Amino acid sequence: MDSSATDGARLPPPRAGSRLCVRCGERKAALKRPKTLEQICRECFYIIFEDEIHQTIVQNSLFKAGERVAIGASGGKDSTVLAYVLSELNRQHNYGLDLFLLSVDEGITGYRDDSLETVKRNEIQYGLPLKIVSYKDLYGWTMDDIVKAIGLKNNCTFCGVFRRQALDRGAALLKADKIVTGHNADDIAETVLLNILRGDIARLSRCTFITTGEDGPIPRCKPFKYTYEKEIVMYAYFKKLDYFSTECIYSPNAYRGFAREFIKDLERMRPRAILDIIKSGENFRISTTTRMPEQGTCERCGYISSQKLCKACVLLDGLNRGLPKLGIGSTKAGARADSDGKQRTKRSERNTSSLQGKHGNFDF
Amino acid sequence: MAACGGAGAGCGPQCSSSSSAGGQEDALAESMGRLSTASAAAACGKCDGGGAAVAVAGGVGMCAGCFRTHLFGKFKLSVTSNAMVRPTDAVLLAFSGGPASRVALQFIHEMQSKAIQSWEASNSQALPVFSLGVVFVDERSVLSASLPGHEIQAAIEDIRSVVSGLSPGDKRVHIAPLEEVFSSGSDDKAARLKEVVGVISDETGRDDFVRRLRMLSLQKVALENGYTKIMLGTCASGIACHVLSATVKGQGYALPADVQYVDTRWEVPVVLPLHDCLAQELNLLCEIDSLKTQQLLDRPCSGINGLVSSFVSRLREENSSREHTILRTAQKLKPFSFNKFSANGYHDFLPSRLRPKFQNIDANECTFSEILCLICGSPFSESELLNLENTKLKAQKKIDLYTAHCCQSCHFQILPAATDMYGHFFSLLPKFWTEKVDAASASHSSLRDQIADYLLDEDDGN
């Protein structure tokens, strides 16, 4: 076994005459399950892995028969495994879903163009139709252009805001009823922690929802909510799934901030800690009187927004007017005295940059 | 003015300690991290004529005097606004010898001496002055590294001398060995303590269990000596760590119970007056006022608790106000009914200034309806309650009831892995915990007792 190809997961080396799978008791155990540390064989791993996702889907009634479901596909491990597993489960359990892949082309040369090739191969391998929406078409800017204009600072803010909206727009174009994304348990645990560290009670209350945006036009759900990242990597590795594992060239390693590292340390010490964090997140007693931002629609593009203009329109406005700082950092800064305002903006920039997770920003 | 405030990294050149006024200040700055800017050029931002700023709090550089006033203000505000100490109270201060409890001792002593002064000055001498005692929990028997006996004795003598140096006001000092939590019947308490701690296989679970025993031991001292409040030196930094570790252990539901100023879950209510002070601030104050602290008997936290505390200190380096933010998040969660003293209606027409002093916890013990975990005292979440109800319906053995009265987190990290060990484990626990469940299930078991002779399924649980 070559463990160098895996993303952080340490696969046990094969040992001659090693134990039998604790689940079936027949075959030789081939791996130690990251979630429970049980030694099981490959076949049982596939069964457990798929069955847990199936149970998550059924217990939370994520889908109804006949729905058109867009799978947010980046070509990375999470979305590739999601596309594969969903199409398998759809077949095995007759969900009756009309699945297709939806990719966003941010326009990052040397990264997205390559990963989109992977998605195109997946389209053929899994027989799922693919739709690609691009920043260039939607906003008139590619990420390459944006980075050229604003540099490498805050570029992830633009990308995150635009991607969120692009997915929704792509799904709307294809008349999808739902979007599914490959966010896994590690991602959600990390978000819970980050929201505690930032004091963001509104996001803390909804970041553990398995389905979000149910009041909006197209709800999004996360079938991998309880699936460990390491198990996803393992599944992809054993099934030899074709995925793209390069990091974004504009998002250096540093983005896997403190919180990510902390969660990895925790997982080593107590694998169930990830599930425990999610459980805590679900059970927090958040007072119903806590003020939540009101949901409205953007005056310009009609997208959901808590402000007059949605974030994407504000950012785009800044780009087009040559004021790329517009809409970045604390919105309160403008109201304060100039010097004070500058300091605040600076501080909040620093905060966001150091607390950004691997997805740039954490608007789910 | 010290400009680097709470912003963390990226201080300007004026923040370097190049212009510091002597070696002592350098050392101070080093140990305090960014809290102390140690720039002699920066003057106190509070009092105009004051000396050089030694500390930064709330974005303002302060001289030693102002810093002290600032901290005392926070302490006093949390005492008065939460009605922590009534004039008739007997307060027991849990004292570890560390900076936080040392500062708490100093501050509560000052409040007491002021009250004594005004009592002496008043004509009627109507309002009595609260009394104060100090307890030190001796955890020698569970410390992993064995300490020479004479060093421990010296440390305890130190504590006695610190307390006796504070006058006016008599303060009793209690030394409570941790093993005393086991009822007097047991022959060798220290061995029993070692055994029950040894049964717990999870390192974090062991750590939490010992903390819990410590609280129990404080309760015991308070009850036996007629104290009406227990005061802890838990500070904002400690609470921030607890917020994260509780989250990580899946105790999100119960979390708000532990992060408030007041906790009346216990027979003797527990209050946290240093709730808003950072550990760094308390350390600094101890150095400025040369308050003697001792770390000899400190038990470093281990397992997940250790990991969390190193994570929090990394966060603090990156942004010194991060602990406050974490605390603020936790404060937005809904507290439980036992997290405040309920007002006694009779005193409602007193002047508002006096009213808080007369607030009382209800005499009735069961003012809150939450079911609490047998071991850690966490209120039960919905799923845990459901499980408990189900068990109550079909439970045959007392052990099943005991386990159903443990929260999911304790279930995992404290209860032994093998279910056949449960009986042994629960028999080792202090009676205080198990007898509550016994009382609650008394009706059930007495029914069973009546027919016990006719039951064939013998079990060791009954």
Side-chain angles (χ1 to χ4, degrees), chain B residues 212-224:
Chain B
R212 199 62 191 165
L213 286 182
R214 195 189 304 154
M215 282 301 293
L216 190 59
S217 133
L218 295 177
Q219 285 289 321
K220 195 159 182 273
V221 173
L223 283 172
E224 283 169 3

Side-chain angles (χ1 to χ4, degrees), chain B residues 401-415:
Chain B
L401 271 181
Y402 286 156
T403 47
H405 269 94
C406 294
C407 69
Q408 284 166 6
S409 172
C410 286
H411 225 283
F412 171 76
Q413 64 168 14
I414 293 182
L415 293 196

Side-chain angles (χ1 to χ4, degrees), chain A residues 192-193 195-201 204 257-262 265-267 269-281 283-288 290 343 347 350-351 354-355, chain B residues 3 7-10 202 204-205 243-244 246-253 255-256 303-304 307-308 311 314-315 318-319 322 325-326 329 332-336 370 381 384 408-409 412-413:
Chain A
V192 170
L193 284 183
N195 284 329
I196 293 176
L197 299 188
R198 286 190 298 219
D200 192 336
I201 201 80
L204 183 62
F258 291 163
R260 196 77 180 177
E261 226 172 273
F262 174 60
D265 290 342
L266 272 176
E267 191 188 0
M269 199 174 274
R270 182 187 283 187
R272 68 177 245 159
I274 292 176
L275 290 179
D276 277 341
I277 295 175
I278 298 175
K279 191 178 109 192
S280 286
N283 287 343
F284 278 137
R285 289 160 53 95
I286 292 170
S287 158
T288 43
T290 310
Q343 222 177 9
R347 200 177 296 173
R350 200 156 46 224
N351 287 353
S354 58
L355 281 177
Chain B
D202 188 274
T204 317
V243 170
L244 294 186
T247 305
V248 164
K249 291 170 200 160
Q251 298 169 319
Y253 179 80
L255 170 64
I304 285 181
L307 189 64
V308 166
F311 176 57
R314 271 184 75 187
L315 291 172
E318 171 248 356
N319 182 342
R322 186 66 70 200
T325 316
I326 296 173
T329 315
K332 288 179 196 155
L333 302 176
K334 209 157 56 178
F336 293 86
E370 281 88 0
S381 67
E384 286 161 335
Q408 284 166 6
S409 172
F412 171 76
Q413 64 168 14

Side-chain angles (χ1 to χ4, degrees), chain B residues 167-189:
Chain B
S167 63
D170 274 348
K171 296 168 189 67
R172 287 179 64 193
V173 178
H174 309 267
I175 307 294
L178 192 62
E179 56 270 23
E180 289 297 319
V181 292
F182 296 104
S183 51
S184 48
S186 5
D187 31 4
D188 188 356
K189 294 174 188 169

Side-chain angles (χ1 to χ4, degrees), chain B residues 368-389:
Chain B
F368 53 90
S369 52
E370 281 88 0
I371 302 250
L372 304 179
C373 167
L374 169 85
I375 297 175
C376 74
S378 300
F380 269 24
S381 67
E382 225 164 285
S383 65
E384 286 161 335
L385 276 179
L386 206 68
N387 175 37
L388 177 64
E389 288 307 315

